[in-house]
Amino acid sequence: MYEPIRTKSVHAMADPGDFPHRSREEELDIQLAAHLAALLAVTDELRALAPAADLDDAAEQLSAEVARLRGGLPPVRSAVVSAIHEPHLTALHQRAHALAGRALVVAASRADTAAAILAARRMDAHAGAARLVGAH
């Protein structure tokens, strides 16, 4: 009554060998590098708005961690130039605090002590800075 199907179904599952798989550790490395790179971008923006030696040190440490997680490939960085105003600084510190928190969670889940310590220090620094900037 019906003619048999002679072609492969479009609904069939792909062969597992058709695409690359990453381990959980590789996925966490990628995720941690992304969070730290985003934190580095916010740190660079803060450095442009309110230069400080501790932000310079943090930027270098973040850059080194991102490079380590990416197999030696350094992160792309840009110079940020904009006008300084207090609410913007507070928002940047809050964003940096949140990014550092995300990085801390991922670093803890992959048992990366160095990245976890760096993220925790940045959380503390940005929490304190946001309170100081917001108090003015």
Side-chain angles (χ1 to χ4, degrees):
M1 185 167 178
Y2 293 103
E3 185 175 338
I5 298 172
R6 294 190 179 127
T7 60
K8 266 187 144 179
S9 170
V10 295
H11 301 289
M13 294 296 293
D15 181 20
D18 286 350
F19 55 93
H21 293 279
R22 288 189 278 252
S23 68
R24 180 177 187 273
E25 290 77 22
E26 290 171 322
E27 290 292 337
L28 289 173
D29 282 349
I30 292 166
Q31 192 176 42
L32 181 57
H35 288 314
L36 292 175
L39 179 56
L40 176 60
V42 173
T43 301
D44 283 341
E45 191 171 349
L46 282 165
R47 288 175 55 223
L49 293 172
D54 65 326
L55 288 174
D56 293 341
D57 293 341
E60 291 309 313
Q61 291 172 351
L62 288 166
S63 181
E65 279 297 309
V66 171
R68 178 182 66 86
L69 291 165
R70 290 182 176 170
L73 184 64
V76 176
R77 296 172 70 179
S78 66
V80 179
V81 179
S82 68
I84 190 167
H85 59 285
E86 298 302 318
H88 184 65
L89 285 176
T90 302
L92 284 174
H93 282 295
Q94 290 169 343
R95 187 176 340 151
H97 183 268
L99 287 166
R102 291 183 191 123
L104 178 58
V105 169
V106 176
S109 70
R110 70 179 293 280
D112 187 333
T113 306
I117 290 170
L118 177 60
R121 286 183 181 155
R122 297 316 310 151
M123 279 184 73
D124 289 344
H126 291 295
R131 281 192 297 272
L132 289 175
V133 171
H136 289 231

